[in-house]
Structures are given as C-alpha cells and as structure tokens.
C-alpha cells in the first residue's frame, strides 16, 4: 500500500484510508479510527471531521454502531446489577422491550435512531388492532428514555431522541362504555 504520510494510505482497491487516534477504550487500551474515501483528500477530510467530533465530545464510540435491541439488553443487565432491581422489574422491562420495542426497531443502529422511530412505536397498535394504552405508552417511553440517557451518559450517542418534545407519549382516547339504566338492570 502506498503511504502518503500522516497515517494516510492507498488501499488495493484504489480507495484511501486515513488513520487517527481515538480516546482509550474502557480497558485503557489504545484505539484507532479509520476514515475512508475515494480520494486522499476525501479521506483526510473525513478524518478531520471525526477528530473535530472527538474534540467536541461527540465520540463515535464502538457502541454507536450497536443495534438498539443489543443496547437495551446491555443496559437492562447493567442497570439491574447496579440498582438491585427485583426480578419482577427485570422481567417487566424485558416484556415491554420484547413486545413493543424490539419488533419495531430493535435492529436500528443507535446512531441512526430518531424521534420519528420513538413516535412510531408509541403510536403503534397491538396485534388485535387496538391502540396501545396510555399507561403502556408511558412505560415504553420511560424505558426508552432511560436506556438512551444511559447511552448519552456513556458518550455512545450525542443526544437522547426519546426526550425530545415531539416524542412524548400521547393520550389515547377510548369510546365511552355503555351504561345500563336501572330498568335494564331490573330486567336482567
């Protein structure tokens, strides 16, 4: 591979790779990042943008490419151990994650998750065609908001999309139930 200095090399397929230092990993080991481009200038520009993000505190941590479903599992296990959750709490969180969140967008990468995805799951309907109840929407939102806030705190993603004002749970209205009159009760 021809080298051009400053960690820039041309690959066999003709594209260019620019290497840069990442902050040390959780284990304290040295890490490198790579930026790729069709031209050397493009690769260097991408490396410069990545270094600017690192300086601004927006680090594309290895977890940023993790899928939401994987992050929720990691978060739930870590939080259960740290907070001492009761087994029923762990099970209930798992039920909500497995029933509502994972089927909708468990395979979406954390870095690609948007407030629109959160609104989609909050506005979804159950298998029987009825809307999700308000209390279930609030549980879904609370779990997502908490898990994504942990990702922000760990610098995996730059912002929590679940806490944006457009992604809040909406109130579900139901048709009023029919009430029997006194005469109808007596007839029964």
């Amino acid at each position: 591979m021809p080298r051009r200095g400053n960690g820039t090399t041309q690959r066999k397929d003709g594209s260019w790779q620019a290497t840069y230092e990442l902050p040390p990993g959780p284990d304290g080991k040295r890490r490198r990042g790579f930026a790729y481009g069709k031209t050397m200038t493009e690769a260097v520009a991408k490396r410069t943008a990545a270094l600017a993000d690192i300086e601004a505190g927006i680090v594309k941590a290895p977890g940023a490419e993790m899928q939401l479903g994987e992050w929720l599992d990691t978060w739930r296990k870590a939080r259960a151990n740290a907070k001492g959750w009761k087994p029923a709490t762990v099970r209930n969180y798992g039920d909500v994650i497995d029933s509502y969140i994972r089927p909708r967008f468990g395979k979406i990468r954390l870095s690609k998750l948007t407030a629109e995805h959160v609104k989609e799951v909050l506005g979804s309907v159950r298998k029987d065609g009825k809307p999700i109840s308000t209390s279930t929407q609030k549980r879904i939102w609370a779990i997502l908001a908490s898990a994504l806030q942990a990702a922000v705190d760990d610098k995996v993603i730059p912002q929590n999309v679940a806490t944006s004002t457009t992604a809040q749970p909406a109130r579900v209205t139901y048709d009023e139930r029919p009430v029997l009159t006194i005469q109808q009760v007596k007839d029964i």
Side-chain angles (χ1 to χ4, degrees):
M1 275 200 263
R3 294 192 176 272
R4 295 292 181 166
N6 294 331
T8 307
T9 57
Q10 188 170 21
R11 300 171 51 157
K12 289 180 182 177
D13 63 358
S15 64
W16 288 83
Q17 170 184 314
T19 308
Y20 56 94
E21 280 293 315
L22 290 170
D27 55 359
K29 291 186 178 179
R30 177 182 175 189
R31 297 186 308 141
R32 290 185 187 165
F34 302 95
Y36 302 96
K38 290 181 180 178
T39 64
M40 184 175 88
T41 309
E42 183 182 348
V44 170
K46 287 181 179 180
R47 175 179 61 193
T48 305
L51 289 171
D53 284 349
I54 291 170
E55 288 294 319
I58 304 171
V59 179
K60 291 243 179 185
E65 297 306 313
M66 184 184 289
Q67 293 177 349
L68 178 63
E70 295 171 24
W71 174 257
L72 288 169
D73 292 338
T74 304
W75 166 79
R76 186 177 65 189
K77 288 175 189 166
R79 185 100 182 247
N81 293 337
K83 300 273 185 175
W85 282 351
K86 294 180 181 178
T89 304
V90 176
R91 188 175 54 252
N92 289 339
Y93 272 45
D95 290 345
V96 170
I97 290 168
D98 293 338
S99 298
Y100 298 102
I101 300 171
R102 192 182 316 273
R104 288 283 179 181
F105 48 83
K107 294 193 182 285
I108 293 177
R109 299 202 184 282
L110 285 174
S111 57
K112 304 288 184 194
L113 190 66
T114 65
E116 293 300 318
H117 292 116
V118 177
K119 283 196 293 189
E120 178 185 328
V121 77
L122 292 177
S124 64
V125 294
R126 298 188 316 226
K127 290 179 183 172
D128 61 3
K130 295 181 180 176
I132 296 174
S133 70
T134 304
S135 62
T136 303
Q137 283 184 7
K138 287 179 182 178
R139 285 176 48 207
I140 293 168
W141 181 82
I143 290 169
L144 271 175
S146 183
L148 293 177
Q149 188 58 47
V152 171
D153 294 344
D154 291 349
K155 297 193 183 307
V156 174
I157 53 175
Q159 67 178 4
N160 185 346
V161 296
T163 57
S164 72
T165 56
T166 60
Q168 301 290 328
R171 179 112 179 116
V172 177
T173 57
Y174 297 98
D175 295 334
E176 190 173 320
R177 292 184 180 174
V179 179
L180 297 176
T181 63
I182 295 173
Q183 185 60 42
Q184 290 173 331
V185 171
K186 287 179 182 177
D187 290 343
I188 293 177

